[in-house]
Amino acid sequence: DVKVTQSSRYLVKRTGEKVFLECVQDMDHENMFWYRQDPGLGLRLIYFSYDVKMKEKGDIPEGYSVSREKKERFSLILESASTNQTSMYLCASSFGPSSGNTIYFGEGSWLTVV
Amino acid sequence: QKEVEQDPGPLSVPEGAIVSLNCTYSNSAFQYFMWYRQYSRKGPELLMYTYSSGNKEDGRFTAQVDKSSKYISLFIRDSQPSDSATYLCAMSAASNQKVTFGIGTKLQVIP
């Protein structure tokens, strides 16, 4: 089974703090993604990476950055957390079009910024 | 207009009912279609995926794609309380890695 592991399930951070969300996948997938999910807004893509050290902006990249130093690991960074970044963050991975773009998600990280 | 439209519900049905969940889309380049199930406070899990028009069956679940109408459906037979979750449709073109999701339909199966 594909496993996408997000290191933190629940976090509470203060406004202005730097926040790191870590994600590891064990299926040798080329592509990795970070989404946030909010009630009434659905899943929104923040960033994705199609190879090591490569990244592409998604639909809502402002206030976020990412790092992919190894194929299996993709980190989301909130440089200066703000209350409007309180959300559920989902990491995902896929092989890409060769496998129908099927995406596999982690369990999610619930971030509260106070 | 959103690329993928999905009624958020909630949809309440009695146990044993046949459930029909639907999405419409506007991008004719979409060729891969997926359904995910998401339990409360969990990540979405892949239920079914299909390529091209037609039906695909897996146990109590049937996915249906009608490309001519740009309409996809997920049917759940003999629904169970454990099917209570949010169901998200997702789709993508063959030419890139981006996947577009519907907003999700919240389903409640009442015992």
Short mmCIF file of all heavy atoms in Angstrom, two decimals, chain A residues 18-61:
data_model
loop_
_atom_site.label_atom_id
_atom_site.label_comp_id
_atom_site.label_asym_id
_atom_site.label_seq_id
_atom_site.Cartn_x
_atom_site.Cartn_y
_atom_site.Cartn_z
N LYS A 18 7.65 30.81 12.30
CA LYS A 18 7.97 30.03 11.11
C LYS A 18 7.52 28.59 11.37
O LYS A 18 7.83 28.03 12.41
CB LYS A 18 9.46 30.10 10.82
CG LYS A 18 9.86 29.56 9.46
CD LYS A 18 11.30 29.93 9.13
CE LYS A 18 11.67 29.54 7.70
NZ LYS A 18 13.03 29.98 7.34
N VAL A 19 6.78 28.04 10.42
CA VAL A 19 6.20 26.71 10.62
C VAL A 19 6.68 25.77 9.51
O VAL A 19 6.69 26.14 8.33
CB VAL A 19 4.66 26.77 10.59
CG1 VAL A 19 4.06 25.38 10.82
CG2 VAL A 19 4.13 27.75 11.64
N PHE A 20 7.08 24.57 9.92
CA PHE A 20 7.51 23.54 8.97
C PHE A 20 6.53 22.37 9.04
O PHE A 20 6.29 21.82 10.11
CB PHE A 20 8.91 23.03 9.30
CG PHE A 20 10.00 24.04 9.11
CD1 PHE A 20 10.32 24.93 10.12
CD2 PHE A 20 10.70 24.11 7.92
CE1 PHE A 20 11.32 25.87 9.95
CE2 PHE A 20 11.71 25.06 7.74
CZ PHE A 20 12.02 25.93 8.76
N LEU A 21 6.00 21.98 7.89
CA LEU A 21 5.20 20.76 7.80
C LEU A 21 5.95 19.78 6.92
O LEU A 21 6.30 20.10 5.78
CB LEU A 21 3.81 21.06 7.22
CG LEU A 21 2.94 22.04 8.02
CD1 LEU A 21 1.61 22.27 7.30
CD2 LEU A 21 2.69 21.53 9.42
N GLU A 22 6.18 18.59 7.48
CA GLU A 22 7.01 17.61 6.78
C GLU A 22 6.15 16.47 6.24
O GLU A 22 5.17 16.05 6.86
CB GLU A 22 8.05 17.02 7.74
CG GLU A 22 8.90 18.05 8.46
CD GLU A 22 9.96 18.65 7.57
OE1 GLU A 22 10.25 18.07 6.50
OE2 GLU A 22 10.50 19.71 7.92
N CYS A 23 6.58 15.94 5.10
CA CYS A 23 5.83 14.86 4.46
C CYS A 23 6.82 13.89 3.82
O CYS A 23 7.77 14.32 3.16
CB CYS A 23 4.90 15.44 3.40
SG CYS A 23 4.02 14.22 2.41
N VAL A 24 6.56 12.60 4.00
CA VAL A 24 7.39 11.57 3.40
C VAL A 24 6.50 10.54 2.72
O VAL A 24 5.48 10.12 3.29
CB VAL A 24 8.26 10.86 4.48
CG1 VAL A 24 9.07 9.73 3.86
CG2 VAL A 24 9.18 11.86 5.16
N GLN A 25 6.89 10.12 1.51
CA GLN A 25 6.16 9.05 0.82
C GLN A 25 7.11 7.89 0.52
O GLN A 25 8.30 8.11 0.32
CB GLN A 25 5.48 9.57 -0.47
CG GLN A 25 6.41 10.32 -1.42
CD GLN A 25 7.01 9.52 -2.53
OE1 GLN A 25 6.74 8.31 -2.68
NE2 GLN A 25 7.82 10.18 -3.35
N ASP A 26 6.53 6.68 0.50
CA ASP A 26 7.38 5.49 0.39
C ASP A 26 7.21 4.76 -0.93
O ASP A 26 7.58 3.58 -1.04
CB ASP A 26 7.12 4.56 1.57
CG ASP A 26 5.72 3.96 1.55
OD1 ASP A 26 4.90 4.33 0.67
OD2 ASP A 26 5.42 3.13 2.43
N MET A 27 6.61 5.41 -1.94
CA MET A 27 6.32 4.72 -3.20
C MET A 27 7.18 5.19 -4.37
O MET A 27 6.86 4.89 -5.51
CB MET A 27 4.84 4.90 -3.55
CG MET A 27 3.94 3.96 -2.77
SD MET A 27 4.35 2.22 -3.06
CE MET A 27 3.87 2.04 -4.77
N ASP A 28 8.23 5.94 -4.09
CA ASP A 28 9.11 6.40 -5.17
C ASP A 28 8.35 7.24 -6.21
O ASP A 28 8.69 7.23 -7.40
CB ASP A 28 9.79 5.19 -5.85
CG ASP A 28 11.08 5.59 -6.55
OD1 ASP A 28 11.78 6.49 -6.05
OD2 ASP A 28 11.38 5.01 -7.62
N HIS A 29 7.35 7.95 -5.76
CA HIS A 29 6.58 8.81 -6.67
C HIS A 29 7.38 10.03 -7.08
O HIS A 29 8.08 10.63 -6.27
CB HIS A 29 5.30 9.29 -5.98
CG HIS A 29 4.24 8.24 -5.91
ND1 HIS A 29 3.13 8.37 -5.09
CD2 HIS A 29 4.09 7.07 -6.56
CE1 HIS A 29 2.35 7.32 -5.26
NE2 HIS A 29 2.92 6.51 -6.14
N GLU A 30 7.24 10.40 -8.38
CA GLU A 30 7.93 11.60 -8.85
C GLU A 30 7.29 12.88 -8.32
O GLU A 30 7.96 13.85 -8.01
CB GLU A 30 7.91 11.66 -10.39
CG GLU A 30 8.89 10.73 -11.08
CD GLU A 30 8.38 9.32 -11.24
OE1 GLU A 30 7.17 9.09 -11.05
OE2 GLU A 30 9.20 8.44 -11.57
N ASN A 31 5.96 12.87 -8.28
CA ASN A 31 5.24 14.11 -7.97
C ASN A 31 4.80 14.16 -6.52
O ASN A 31 4.32 13.16 -5.96
CB ASN A 31 3.98 14.21 -8.84
CG ASN A 31 4.33 14.14 -10.32
OD1 ASN A 31 5.21 14.83 -10.78
ND2 ASN A 31 3.62 13.29 -11.04
N MET A 32 4.92 15.32 -5.92
CA MET A 32 4.41 15.53 -4.58
C MET A 32 3.68 16.87 -4.53
O MET A 32 4.01 17.79 -5.27
CB MET A 32 5.52 15.47 -3.54
CG MET A 32 6.16 14.08 -3.46
SD MET A 32 7.27 13.86 -2.06
CE MET A 32 6.10 13.72 -0.68
N PHE A 33 2.69 16.95 -3.65
CA PHE A 33 1.78 18.10 -3.62
C PHE A 33 1.50 18.53 -2.18
O PHE A 33 1.50 17.71 -1.27
CB PHE A 33 0.42 17.72 -4.24
CG PHE A 33 0.49 17.09 -5.60
CD1 PHE A 33 0.76 15.74 -5.75
CD2 PHE A 33 0.27 17.85 -6.74
CE1 PHE A 33 0.82 15.15 -7.01
CE2 PHE A 33 0.31 17.27 -8.00
CZ PHE A 33 0.59 15.93 -8.13
N TRP A 34 1.23 19.81 -2.03
CA TRP A 34 0.66 20.32 -0.78
C TRP A 34 -0.64 21.04 -1.10
O TRP A 34 -0.69 21.92 -1.98
CB TRP A 34 1.60 21.29 -0.08
CG TRP A 34 2.61 20.61 0.78
CD1 TRP A 34 3.94 20.43 0.53
CD2 TRP A 34 2.39 20.02 2.07
NE1 TRP A 34 4.54 19.76 1.56
CE2 TRP A 34 3.61 19.50 2.52
CE3 TRP A 34 1.26 19.88 2.88
CZ2 TRP A 34 3.75 18.85 3.74
CZ3 TRP A 34 1.39 19.23 4.09
CH2 TRP A 34 2.62 18.73 4.53
N TYR A 35 -1.71 20.63 -0.39
CA TYR A 35 -3.02 21.26 -0.50
C TYR A 35 -3.41 21.80 0.87
O TYR A 35 -2.95 21.31 1.90
CB TYR A 35 -4.09 20.24 -0.89
CG TYR A 35 -4.00 19.67 -2.28
CD1 TYR A 35 -3.20 18.56 -2.56
CD2 TYR A 35 -4.74 20.22 -3.32
CE1 TYR A 35 -3.14 18.02 -3.84
CE2 TYR A 35 -4.69 19.69 -4.61
CZ TYR A 35 -3.89 18.59 -4.84
OH TYR A 35 -3.83 18.05 -6.11
N ARG A 36 -4.32 22.77 0.86
CA ARG A 36 -5.03 23.08 2.07
C ARG A 36 -6.52 22.88 1.81
O ARG A 36 -7.00 23.00 0.66
CB ARG A 36 -4.75 24.49 2.60
CG ARG A 36 -5.15 25.63 1.74
CD ARG A 36 -4.87 26.97 2.42
NE ARG A 36 -5.84 27.30 3.46
CZ ARG A 36 -5.78 28.41 4.21
NH1 ARG A 36 -4.77 29.27 4.06
NH2 ARG A 36 -6.68 28.66 5.14
N GLN A 37 -7.23 22.51 2.87
CA GLN A 37 -8.65 22.21 2.73
C GLN A 37 -9.43 23.01 3.76
O GLN A 37 -9.16 22.91 4.96
CB GLN A 37 -8.92 20.71 2.93
CG GLN A 37 -10.34 20.31 2.61
CD GLN A 37 -10.54 18.80 2.69
OE1 GLN A 37 -9.93 18.13 3.54
NE2 GLN A 37 -11.36 18.25 1.82
N ASP A 38 -10.38 23.80 3.30
CA ASP A 38 -11.18 24.65 4.16
C ASP A 38 -12.65 24.43 3.86
O ASP A 38 -13.03 24.23 2.69
CB ASP A 38 -10.82 26.12 3.95
CG ASP A 38 -9.35 26.40 4.23
OD1 ASP A 38 -9.00 26.44 5.42
OD2 ASP A 38 -8.57 26.57 3.27
N PRO A 39 -13.51 24.49 4.87
CA PRO A 39 -14.95 24.30 4.65
C PRO A 39 -15.48 25.27 3.61
O PRO A 39 -15.21 26.47 3.67
CB PRO A 39 -15.54 24.59 6.04
CG PRO A 39 -14.44 24.32 7.00
CD PRO A 39 -13.18 24.72 6.29
N GLY A 40 -16.23 24.73 2.67
CA GLY A 40 -16.84 25.57 1.64
C GLY A 40 -15.92 25.94 0.50
O GLY A 40 -16.37 26.44 -0.53
N LEU A 41 -14.62 25.68 0.66
CA LEU A 41 -13.65 26.03 -0.39
C LEU A 41 -13.02 24.80 -1.02
O LEU A 41 -12.40 24.88 -2.07
CB LEU A 41 -12.55 26.93 0.18
CG LEU A 41 -13.01 28.30 0.68
CD1 LEU A 41 -11.84 29.05 1.30
CD2 LEU A 41 -13.63 29.12 -0.45
N GLY A 42 -13.15 23.66 -0.37
CA GLY A 42 -12.59 22.44 -0.93
C GLY A 42 -11.07 22.39 -0.84
O GLY A 42 -10.45 23.08 -0.04
N LEU A 43 -10.49 21.56 -1.69
CA LEU A 43 -9.04 21.41 -1.74
C LEU A 43 -8.44 22.46 -2.66
O LEU A 43 -8.87 22.61 -3.80
CB LEU A 43 -8.68 20.02 -2.30
CG LEU A 43 -8.81 18.84 -1.34
CD1 LEU A 43 -8.83 17.54 -2.12
CD2 LEU A 43 -7.67 18.84 -0.36
N ARG A 44 -7.42 23.14 -2.17
CA ARG A 44 -6.74 24.12 -3.00
C ARG A 44 -5.25 23.80 -3.03
O ARG A 44 -4.63 23.59 -1.98
CB ARG A 44 -6.99 25.54 -2.47
CG ARG A 44 -8.44 26.00 -2.63
CD ARG A 44 -8.62 27.42 -2.14
NE ARG A 44 -8.52 27.50 -0.69
CZ ARG A 44 -8.42 28.65 -0.01
NH1 ARG A 44 -8.41 29.81 -0.67
NH2 ARG A 44 -8.34 28.63 1.30
N LEU A 45 -4.69 23.80 -4.22
CA LEU A 45 -3.29 23.43 -4.39
C LEU A 45 -2.38 24.61 -4.04
O LEU A 45 -2.54 25.72 -4.59
CB LEU A 45 -3.05 22.99 -5.84
CG LEU A 45 -1.64 22.55 -6.20
CD1 LEU A 45 -1.24 21.29 -5.41
CD2 LEU A 45 -1.53 22.28 -7.70
N ILE A 46 -1.42 24.35 -3.15
CA ILE A 46 -0.50 25.41 -2.75
C ILE A 46 0.76 25.36 -3.62
O ILE A 46 1.13 26.34 -4.27
CB ILE A 46 -0.10 25.25 -1.26
CG1 ILE A 46 -1.34 25.23 -0.36
CG2 ILE A 46 0.83 26.38 -0.83
CD1 ILE A 46 -1.05 24.84 1.08
N TYR A 47 1.43 24.22 -3.63
CA TYR A 47 2.62 23.99 -4.43
C TYR A 47 2.66 22.53 -4.83
O TYR A 47 2.10 21.68 -4.16
CB TYR A 47 3.90 24.28 -3.62
CG TYR A 47 4.45 25.67 -3.71
CD1 TYR A 47 4.15 26.62 -2.73
CD2 TYR A 47 5.30 26.04 -4.75
CE1 TYR A 47 4.66 27.91 -2.80
CE2 TYR A 47 5.82 27.33 -4.83
CZ TYR A 47 5.49 28.25 -3.86
OH TYR A 47 6.00 29.53 -3.93
N PHE A 48 3.35 22.25 -5.92
CA PHE A 48 3.67 20.87 -6.22
C PHE A 48 5.10 20.77 -6.76
O PHE A 48 5.70 21.77 -7.18
CB PHE A 48 2.64 20.23 -7.15
CG PHE A 48 2.68 20.70 -8.58
CD1 PHE A 48 3.38 19.99 -9.53
CD2 PHE A 48 2.00 21.84 -8.98
CE1 PHE A 48 3.40 20.40 -10.85
CE2 PHE A 48 2.01 22.26 -10.29
CZ PHE A 48 2.72 21.54 -11.23
N SER A 49 5.61 19.56 -6.73
CA SER A 49 6.97 19.30 -7.18
C SER A 49 6.96 18.06 -8.05
O SER A 49 6.41 17.03 -7.67
CB SER A 49 7.89 19.09 -5.98
OG SER A 49 9.14 18.57 -6.38
N TYR A 50 7.58 18.14 -9.22
CA TYR A 50 7.59 17.00 -10.13
C TYR A 50 8.96 16.32 -10.18
O TYR A 50 9.18 15.38 -10.93
CB TYR A 50 7.15 17.40 -11.54
CG TYR A 50 7.88 18.59 -12.09
CD1 TYR A 50 9.07 18.43 -12.81
CD2 TYR A 50 7.40 19.88 -11.90
CE1 TYR A 50 9.75 19.51 -13.31
CE2 TYR A 50 8.08 20.98 -12.39
CZ TYR A 50 9.25 20.80 -13.10
OH TYR A 50 9.91 21.88 -13.59
N ASP A 51 9.89 16.83 -9.38
CA ASP A 51 11.22 16.21 -9.32
C ASP A 51 11.97 16.84 -8.14
O ASP A 51 11.58 17.90 -7.64
CB ASP A 51 11.99 16.45 -10.62
CG ASP A 51 13.09 15.44 -10.85
OD1 ASP A 51 13.40 14.65 -9.92
OD2 ASP A 51 13.67 15.44 -11.96
N VAL A 52 13.05 16.19 -7.76
CA VAL A 52 13.86 16.74 -6.67
C VAL A 52 14.32 18.14 -7.04
O VAL A 52 14.72 18.40 -8.17
CB VAL A 52 15.06 15.82 -6.40
CG1 VAL A 52 15.97 16.42 -5.34
CG2 VAL A 52 14.59 14.45 -5.97
N LYS A 53 14.25 19.03 -6.11
CA LYS A 53 14.65 20.43 -6.22
C LYS A 53 13.81 21.22 -7.22
O LYS A 53 14.11 22.38 -7.50
CB LYS A 53 16.15 20.55 -6.58
CG LYS A 53 17.07 19.99 -5.51
CD LYS A 53 18.51 20.36 -5.77
CE LYS A 53 19.44 19.67 -4.78
NZ LYS A 53 19.22 20.14 -3.40
N MET A 54 12.76 20.63 -7.75
CA MET A 54 11.87 21.34 -8.67
C MET A 54 10.57 21.65 -7.94
O MET A 54 10.08 20.83 -7.15
CB MET A 54 11.59 20.51 -9.92
CG MET A 54 12.83 20.04 -10.65
SD MET A 54 13.89 21.39 -11.19
CE MET A 54 12.93 22.05 -12.54
N LYS A 55 9.99 22.80 -8.23
CA LYS A 55 8.72 23.16 -7.63
C LYS A 55 7.94 24.05 -8.58
O LYS A 55 8.51 24.76 -9.39
CB LYS A 55 8.93 23.88 -6.30
CG LYS A 55 9.72 25.18 -6.42
CD LYS A 55 10.01 25.77 -5.06
CE LYS A 55 10.83 27.05 -5.21
NZ LYS A 55 11.21 27.63 -3.90
N GLU A 56 6.61 23.98 -8.43
CA GLU A 56 5.72 24.82 -9.22
C GLU A 56 4.67 25.41 -8.30
O GLU A 56 4.16 24.71 -7.42
CB GLU A 56 5.01 24.00 -10.31
CG GLU A 56 5.91 23.51 -11.42
CD GLU A 56 6.20 24.58 -12.45
OE1 GLU A 56 5.48 25.59 -12.47
OE2 GLU A 56 7.16 24.40 -13.24
N LYS A 57 4.32 26.67 -8.51
CA LYS A 57 3.26 27.28 -7.73
C LYS A 57 1.92 26.68 -8.13
O LYS A 57 1.67 26.41 -9.30
CB LYS A 57 3.24 28.79 -7.96
CG LYS A 57 4.44 29.52 -7.40
CD LYS A 57 4.35 31.01 -7.66
CE LYS A 57 5.57 31.72 -7.10
NZ LYS A 57 5.52 33.19 -7.37
N GLY A 58 1.08 26.51 -7.13
CA GLY A 58 -0.29 26.09 -7.37
C GLY A 58 -1.21 27.30 -7.43
O GLY A 58 -0.81 28.36 -7.91
N ASP A 59 -2.40 27.13 -6.90
CA ASP A 59 -3.40 28.19 -6.99
C ASP A 59 -3.26 29.24 -5.89
O ASP A 59 -3.67 30.39 -6.08
CB ASP A 59 -4.80 27.57 -6.94
CG ASP A 59 -5.01 26.59 -8.07
OD1 ASP A 59 -4.60 26.91 -9.21
OD2 ASP A 59 -5.56 25.50 -7.84
N ILE A 60 -2.70 28.86 -4.75
CA ILE A 60 -2.62 29.79 -3.62
C ILE A 60 -1.24 29.74 -2.96
O ILE A 60 -1.09 29.41 -1.78
CB ILE A 60 -3.71 29.51 -2.56
CG1 ILE A 60 -3.73 28.03 -2.15
CG2 ILE A 60 -5.10 29.91 -3.08
CD1 ILE A 60 -4.46 27.78 -0.86
N PRO A 61 -0.16 30.09 -3.65
CA PRO A 61 1.18 29.97 -3.07
C PRO A 61 1.60 31.08 -2.11
O PRO A 61 2.59 30.94 -1.39
CB PRO A 61 2.07 30.01 -4.32
CG PRO A 61 1.31 30.89 -5.27
CD PRO A 61 -0.15 30.59 -5.02
#
